[in-house]
Short mmCIF file of all heavy atoms in Angstrom, two decimals:
data_model
loop_
_atom_site.label_atom_id
_atom_site.label_comp_id
_atom_site.label_asym_id
_atom_site.label_seq_id
_atom_site.Cartn_x
_atom_site.Cartn_y
_atom_site.Cartn_z
N ASP S 1 3.56 -9.24 2.64
CA ASP S 1 4.87 -9.18 3.31
C ASP S 1 5.01 -7.95 4.19
O ASP S 1 5.89 -7.91 5.06
CB ASP S 1 6.00 -9.20 2.28
CG ASP S 1 6.11 -10.53 1.56
OD1 ASP S 1 5.64 -11.53 2.12
OD2 ASP S 1 6.65 -10.55 0.44
N VAL S 2 4.15 -6.95 3.97
CA VAL S 2 4.27 -5.71 4.74
C VAL S 2 3.06 -5.46 5.64
O VAL S 2 3.13 -4.66 6.58
CB VAL S 2 4.48 -4.50 3.80
CG1 VAL S 2 5.84 -4.59 3.12
CG2 VAL S 2 3.37 -4.39 2.77
N ILE S 3 1.94 -6.13 5.35
CA ILE S 3 0.74 -6.01 6.18
C ILE S 3 0.27 -7.40 6.57
O ILE S 3 -0.12 -8.18 5.70
CB ILE S 3 -0.40 -5.27 5.44
CG1 ILE S 3 0.05 -3.89 4.94
CG2 ILE S 3 -1.62 -5.10 6.37
CD1 ILE S 3 -0.99 -3.17 4.11
N PRO S 4 0.32 -7.77 7.85
CA PRO S 4 -0.11 -9.10 8.27
C PRO S 4 -1.57 -9.34 7.88
O PRO S 4 -2.38 -8.40 7.85
CB PRO S 4 0.04 -9.06 9.80
CG PRO S 4 1.00 -7.95 10.07
CD PRO S 4 0.79 -6.94 8.98
N GLY S 5 -1.90 -10.60 7.59
CA GLY S 5 -3.23 -10.94 7.14
C GLY S 5 -4.33 -10.48 8.07
O GLY S 5 -5.37 -9.97 7.63
N GLU S 6 -4.11 -10.62 9.39
CA GLU S 6 -5.14 -10.22 10.35
C GLU S 6 -5.31 -8.70 10.42
O GLU S 6 -6.31 -8.20 10.95
CB GLU S 6 -4.83 -10.78 11.74
CG GLU S 6 -3.61 -10.20 12.42
CD GLU S 6 -2.29 -10.87 12.01
OE1 GLU S 6 -2.34 -11.66 11.05
OE2 GLU S 6 -1.28 -10.61 12.65
N LYS S 7 -4.32 -7.96 9.90
CA LYS S 7 -4.39 -6.49 9.91
C LYS S 7 -4.78 -5.91 8.56
O LYS S 7 -4.91 -4.70 8.41
CB LYS S 7 -3.03 -5.91 10.33
CG LYS S 7 -2.58 -6.27 11.74
CD LYS S 7 -3.43 -5.58 12.78
CE LYS S 7 -2.89 -5.81 14.18
NZ LYS S 7 -3.73 -5.14 15.21
N MET S 8 -4.95 -6.78 7.56
CA MET S 8 -5.24 -6.32 6.21
C MET S 8 -6.63 -5.68 6.15
O MET S 8 -7.63 -6.32 6.47
CB MET S 8 -5.15 -7.48 5.21
CG MET S 8 -5.20 -7.05 3.76
SD MET S 8 -3.70 -6.20 3.20
CE MET S 8 -2.53 -7.57 3.14
N SER S 9 -6.68 -4.43 5.76
CA SER S 9 -7.93 -3.70 5.60
C SER S 9 -7.72 -2.59 4.60
O SER S 9 -6.57 -2.28 4.23
CB SER S 9 -8.41 -3.13 6.94
OG SER S 9 -7.54 -2.11 7.39
N MET S 10 -8.78 -1.95 4.18
CA MET S 10 -8.66 -0.84 3.26
C MET S 10 -7.83 0.28 3.89
O MET S 10 -6.98 0.89 3.23
CB MET S 10 -10.03 -0.31 2.88
CG MET S 10 -9.99 0.76 1.79
SD MET S 10 -11.62 1.44 1.45
CE MET S 10 -11.87 2.43 2.95
N GLN S 11 -8.05 0.53 5.18
CA GLN S 11 -7.31 1.59 5.86
C GLN S 11 -5.82 1.26 5.94
O GLN S 11 -4.97 2.13 5.72
CB GLN S 11 -7.87 1.80 7.27
CG GLN S 11 -9.25 2.45 7.29
CD GLN S 11 -10.38 1.43 7.23
OE1 GLN S 11 -10.19 0.31 6.78
NE2 GLN S 11 -11.56 1.83 7.67
N ALA S 12 -5.50 0.00 6.25
CA ALA S 12 -4.10 -0.40 6.34
C ALA S 12 -3.41 -0.29 4.98
O ALA S 12 -2.25 0.16 4.89
CB ALA S 12 -3.99 -1.81 6.89
N ILE S 13 -4.13 -0.69 3.94
CA ILE S 13 -3.56 -0.60 2.59
C ILE S 13 -3.33 0.85 2.21
O ILE S 13 -2.27 1.21 1.69
CB ILE S 13 -4.50 -1.29 1.58
CG1 ILE S 13 -4.55 -2.80 1.83
CG2 ILE S 13 -4.04 -1.00 0.15
CD1 ILE S 13 -5.56 -3.53 0.99
N GLU S 14 -4.31 1.70 2.48
CA GLU S 14 -4.16 3.12 2.13
C GLU S 14 -3.00 3.76 2.89
O GLU S 14 -2.21 4.52 2.30
CB GLU S 14 -5.45 3.88 2.42
CG GLU S 14 -5.35 5.36 2.08
CD GLU S 14 -6.64 6.12 2.31
OE1 GLU S 14 -7.67 5.49 2.60
OE2 GLU S 14 -6.60 7.37 2.20
N ASN S 15 -2.89 3.47 4.16
CA ASN S 15 -1.79 4.04 4.95
C ASN S 15 -0.44 3.62 4.39
O ASN S 15 0.51 4.43 4.34
CB ASN S 15 -1.91 3.60 6.41
CG ASN S 15 -3.08 4.26 7.12
OD1 ASN S 15 -3.55 5.31 6.70
ND2 ASN S 15 -3.55 3.64 8.19
N TYR S 16 -0.33 2.38 3.97
CA TYR S 16 0.94 1.92 3.40
C TYR S 16 1.22 2.61 2.05
O TYR S 16 2.34 3.08 1.81
CB TYR S 16 0.90 0.41 3.21
CG TYR S 16 2.13 -0.13 2.50
CD1 TYR S 16 3.36 -0.21 3.16
CD2 TYR S 16 2.07 -0.54 1.17
CE1 TYR S 16 4.49 -0.67 2.50
CE2 TYR S 16 3.19 -1.01 0.52
CZ TYR S 16 4.41 -1.07 1.18
OH TYR S 16 5.52 -1.53 0.54
N LEU S 17 0.20 2.68 1.22
CA LEU S 17 0.40 3.28 -0.10
C LEU S 17 0.82 4.74 -0.01
O LEU S 17 1.63 5.22 -0.80
CB LEU S 17 -0.89 3.16 -0.92
CG LEU S 17 -1.34 1.76 -1.32
CD1 LEU S 17 -2.67 1.82 -2.08
CD2 LEU S 17 -0.29 1.05 -2.17
N ARG S 18 0.30 5.46 0.97
CA ARG S 18 0.60 6.89 1.07
C ARG S 18 2.04 7.15 1.51
O ARG S 18 2.53 8.27 1.42
CB ARG S 18 -0.38 7.57 2.02
CG ARG S 18 -1.80 7.60 1.46
CD ARG S 18 -2.65 8.68 2.04
NE ARG S 18 -3.99 8.67 1.45
CZ ARG S 18 -4.30 9.24 0.28
NH1 ARG S 18 -3.35 9.85 -0.41
NH2 ARG S 18 -5.53 9.18 -0.20
N GLY S 19 2.74 6.13 1.96
CA GLY S 19 4.14 6.29 2.33
C GLY S 19 5.11 5.90 1.23
O GLY S 19 6.33 5.94 1.44
N LEU S 20 4.59 5.55 0.05
CA LEU S 20 5.45 5.08 -1.04
C LEU S 20 5.82 6.21 -2.00
O LEU S 20 5.02 7.13 -2.23
CB LEU S 20 4.73 3.98 -1.83
CG LEU S 20 4.39 2.68 -1.09
CD1 LEU S 20 3.64 1.74 -2.02
CD2 LEU S 20 5.65 2.02 -0.57
N PRO S 21 6.99 6.12 -2.62
CA PRO S 21 7.33 7.05 -3.69
C PRO S 21 6.47 6.76 -4.92
O PRO S 21 5.90 5.66 -5.06
CB PRO S 21 8.81 6.76 -3.97
CG PRO S 21 9.02 5.36 -3.47
CD PRO S 21 8.09 5.19 -2.31
N GLU S 22 6.33 7.74 -5.81
CA GLU S 22 5.43 7.66 -6.95
C GLU S 22 5.64 6.39 -7.78
O GLU S 22 4.68 5.69 -8.15
CB GLU S 22 5.61 8.90 -7.84
CG GLU S 22 4.85 8.86 -9.16
CD GLU S 22 3.34 9.01 -9.00
OE1 GLU S 22 2.92 9.46 -7.91
OE2 GLU S 22 2.61 8.70 -9.95
N GLU S 23 6.89 6.07 -8.09
CA GLU S 23 7.17 4.92 -8.96
C GLU S 23 6.70 3.61 -8.33
O GLU S 23 6.08 2.77 -8.99
CB GLU S 23 8.67 4.85 -9.26
CG GLU S 23 9.04 3.74 -10.25
CD GLU S 23 10.52 3.75 -10.58
OE1 GLU S 23 11.23 4.73 -10.23
OE2 GLU S 23 10.99 2.76 -11.19
N LYS S 24 6.98 3.43 -7.04
CA LYS S 24 6.57 2.21 -6.35
C LYS S 24 5.06 2.16 -6.20
O LYS S 24 4.44 1.09 -6.33
CB LYS S 24 7.24 2.14 -4.98
CG LYS S 24 6.92 0.89 -4.17
CD LYS S 24 7.38 -0.38 -4.88
CE LYS S 24 7.11 -1.61 -4.02
NZ LYS S 24 7.52 -2.86 -4.68
N LEU S 25 4.44 3.31 -5.94
CA LEU S 25 2.98 3.37 -5.82
C LEU S 25 2.33 2.89 -7.12
O LEU S 25 1.42 2.05 -7.10
CB LEU S 25 2.54 4.79 -5.50
CG LEU S 25 1.04 5.07 -5.55
CD1 LEU S 25 0.31 4.27 -4.49
CD2 LEU S 25 0.76 6.57 -5.41
N ARG S 26 2.79 3.43 -8.24
CA ARG S 26 2.21 3.05 -9.53
C ARG S 26 2.43 1.57 -9.82
O ARG S 26 1.57 0.90 -10.40
CB ARG S 26 2.82 3.90 -10.64
CG ARG S 26 2.35 5.34 -10.65
CD ARG S 26 0.86 5.43 -10.91
NE ARG S 26 0.39 6.81 -10.91
CZ ARG S 26 -0.90 7.15 -10.99
NH1 ARG S 26 -1.82 6.20 -11.06
NH2 ARG S 26 -1.27 8.41 -10.97
N GLU S 27 3.57 1.06 -9.43
CA GLU S 27 3.86 -0.35 -9.66
C GLU S 27 2.83 -1.24 -8.98
O GLU S 27 2.37 -2.23 -9.55
CB GLU S 27 5.26 -0.68 -9.13
CG GLU S 27 5.65 -2.14 -9.30
CD GLU S 27 7.00 -2.46 -8.66
OE1 GLU S 27 7.80 -1.52 -8.48
OE2 GLU S 27 7.22 -3.64 -8.32
N ILE S 28 2.46 -0.87 -7.76
CA ILE S 28 1.48 -1.67 -7.02
C ILE S 28 0.07 -1.47 -7.57
O ILE S 28 -0.67 -2.43 -7.80
CB ILE S 28 1.53 -1.34 -5.52
CG1 ILE S 28 2.87 -1.79 -4.93
CG2 ILE S 28 0.37 -1.99 -4.77
CD1 ILE S 28 3.05 -1.46 -3.47
N LEU S 29 -0.32 -0.21 -7.79
CA LEU S 29 -1.67 0.04 -8.30
C LEU S 29 -1.90 -0.63 -9.65
O LEU S 29 -3.00 -1.12 -9.94
CB LEU S 29 -1.91 1.56 -8.42
CG LEU S 29 -1.87 2.38 -7.14
CD1 LEU S 29 -2.24 3.82 -7.43
CD2 LEU S 29 -2.79 1.80 -6.08
N ASN S 30 -0.86 -0.67 -10.48
CA ASN S 30 -0.99 -1.26 -11.81
C ASN S 30 -1.11 -2.77 -11.79
O ASN S 30 -1.37 -3.38 -12.83
CB ASN S 30 0.20 -0.84 -12.68
CG ASN S 30 0.15 0.62 -13.07
OD1 ASN S 30 -0.89 1.26 -13.05
ND2 ASN S 30 1.31 1.18 -13.41
#
């Protein structure tokens, strides 16, 4: 919902994760 399929990559995922607050980050990583 936040990264289009054609743009999905390790770099795109990392960039998104680094903008999240700790609680939301852990929710996704878990």
Side-chain angles (χ1 to χ4, degrees):
D1 292 337
V2 293
I3 304 175
E6 68 276 10
K7 297 290 186 180
M8 190 71 72
S9 67
M10 187 184 72
Q11 290 89 338
I13 293 173
E14 180 177 353
N15 289 338
Y16 175 73
L17 294 178
R18 293 203 179 278
L20 297 178
E22 173 71 16
E23 184 177 348
K24 182 62 177 179
L25 171 64
R26 287 297 179 186
E27 179 185 337
I28 293 178
L29 297 185
N30 289 338

